[in-house]
Amino acid sequence: MASSLTGKVAVVTGAASGIGKEIALNLAKAGAHIAIADLNAAGAQAVAEEINSAGGKAIGIAMDVTSEDAVKAGIAEVKEKLGPVYILVSNAGIQIVNPIENFAYSDWKKMLAIHLDGAFLTTKAVLPHMYEDDRGGVVIYMGSVHSHLASPLKSAYVTAKHGLLGLARTLAKEGAKHGVRSNVVCPGFVRTPLVEKQIPEQAKEFGISEEEVVKKIMLGGTVDGIFTTLDDVAETVRFLCEFPSAALTGQSITVSHGWHMQ
Ligand code: NAD
């Protein structure tokens, strides 16, 4: 059966790795044409080739989501090569952990730039495609359990992920008359390079073993002590992209083995 996403153009930022890559592969399987937008141009190209060699359609786009010029140029390239954008998954992100008193202001600004400026700039660049002739579209922001909860050492991350809820809700109100829906997906810990890097960092900061970081800090709040998987997150994104009406807009959906319950 043809999916409602067949032939629809999706831009996934930060899709050279981890969660974004899995979302790109999943949406491609559902028939969408994918632009893999990432700072890591070679990685983006490799994921595009993986999709193309499996019979899908994808291109790699070199894009720093914090640069308005790079975002505008990248989205223009997507329109030229694949057509107008119907889905934006704003997913690019990094993590920097430190207590507030030691958090470098430059790191704070870098975190907010990637997570919030990146979400704003990519949204702004794709909306003309979605608003033209009220064609409509779907914007998904990659939030986190940290869109709803705080953890020590993560001031900038928690602030940025909370901020995405505001952007998604505002877009849900502004975009509705053009058929644009906007939601936030909020995963618990998923074992990607972003998380692997935090295990030794947090062990050092809290003076505990790496096993304890995983068991107590990362999975301690879950109902079953299990990591959220890449597939869990990608399936949630696909569901929201395929959902046929604005009954689901301005929402955040948490995928975290019960770590956070809304
Ligand atoms: P990852 O490190 O595997 O992938 C992140 C990707 O973003 C990389 O390919 C990187 O090159 C790209 N990127 C970084 N800065 C960029 C920029 N300025 N412009 C364009 N691309 C850039 O990380 P991940 O774990 O897959 O994280 C993806 C998203 O999921 C992030 O927003 C993260 O906050 C969120 N998230 C992750 C987890 C988790 O447990 N892994 C949980 C909740 C939310």
Side-chain angles (χ1 to χ4, degrees):
M1 198 179 80
S3 145
S4 61
L5 301 185
T6 303
K8 293 272 175 34
V9 176
V11 176
V12 187
T13 70
S17 171
I19 292 173
K21 176 178 174 183
E22 191 68 21
I23 292 168
L25 297 176
N26 189 307
L27 295 179
K29 263 193 220 140
H33 297 169
I34 317 287
I36 318 289
D38 204 291
L39 201 55
N40 173 358
Q45 196 50 41
V47 176
E49 279 161 21
E50 190 176 331
I51 290 172
N52 288 326
S53 58
K57 186 166 179 182
I59 57 172
I61 300 276
M63 184 191 286
D64 176 352
V65 297
T66 69
S67 155
E68 186 170 19
D69 288 345
V71 170
K72 278 186 182 164
I75 297 300
E77 190 181 338
V78 176
K79 189 171 187 190
E80 188 196 317
K81 293 187 174 159
L82 297 179
V85 176
Y86 178 76
I87 295 167
L88 167 66
V89 183
S90 170
N91 164 82
I94 63 165
Q95 180 59 282
I96 300 175
V97 292
N98 238 327
I100 295 171
E101 69 274 20
N102 295 336
F103 215 98
Y105 183 37
S106 55
D107 283 344
W108 168 269
K109 285 195 281 196
K110 185 174 175 185
M111 287 292 287
L112 298 197
I114 295 175
H115 291 272
L116 287 180
D117 298 0
F120 166 74
L121 290 172
T122 49
T123 302
K124 190 173 174 194
V126 301
L127 284 185
H129 302 199
M130 299 178 177
Y131 285 0
E132 191 183 0
D133 301 328
D134 292 338
R135 207 181 276 123
V138 182
V139 178
I140 306 286
Y141 298 104
M142 193 49 61
S144 161
V145 158
H146 287 107
S147 298
H148 299 281
L149 299 178
S151 293
L153 313 183
K154 296 191 174 174
S155 55
Y157 190 80
V158 169
T159 302
K161 292 301 191 190
H162 274 63
L164 291 174
L165 299 175
L167 180 59
R169 289 168 184 160
T170 306
L171 176 58
K173 295 207 167 185
E174 291 184 6
K177 59 182 176 291
H178 303 290
V180 172
R181 292 179 287 112
S182 163
N183 289 297
V184 186
V185 171
C186 299
F189 280 104
V190 182
R191 285 202 94 133
T192 66
L194 179 139
V195 162
E196 295 294 346
K197 178 176 163 281
Q198 288 173 59
I199 298 173
E201 285 175 357
Q202 297 211 5
K204 194 167 160 222
E205 192 66 40
F206 291 120
I208 57 177
S209 71
E210 295 192 10
E211 291 69 32
E212 281 175 305
V213 170
V214 169
K215 220 171 147 194
K216 293 193 179 148
I217 297 182
M218 296 190 162
L219 302 178
T222 64
V223 296
D224 52 11
I226 294 177
F227 274 101
T228 300
T229 67
L230 293 171
D231 192 49
D232 294 330
V233 182
E235 279 291 294
T236 307
V237 170
R238 186 183 54 77
F239 164 74
L240 287 169
C241 290
E242 287 181 334
F243 195 80
S245 79
L248 277 179
T249 194
Q251 303 304 306
S252 75
I253 298 197
T254 304
V255 194
S256 70
H257 285 258
W259 174 12
H260 174 69
M261 299 186 189
Q262 284 172 302

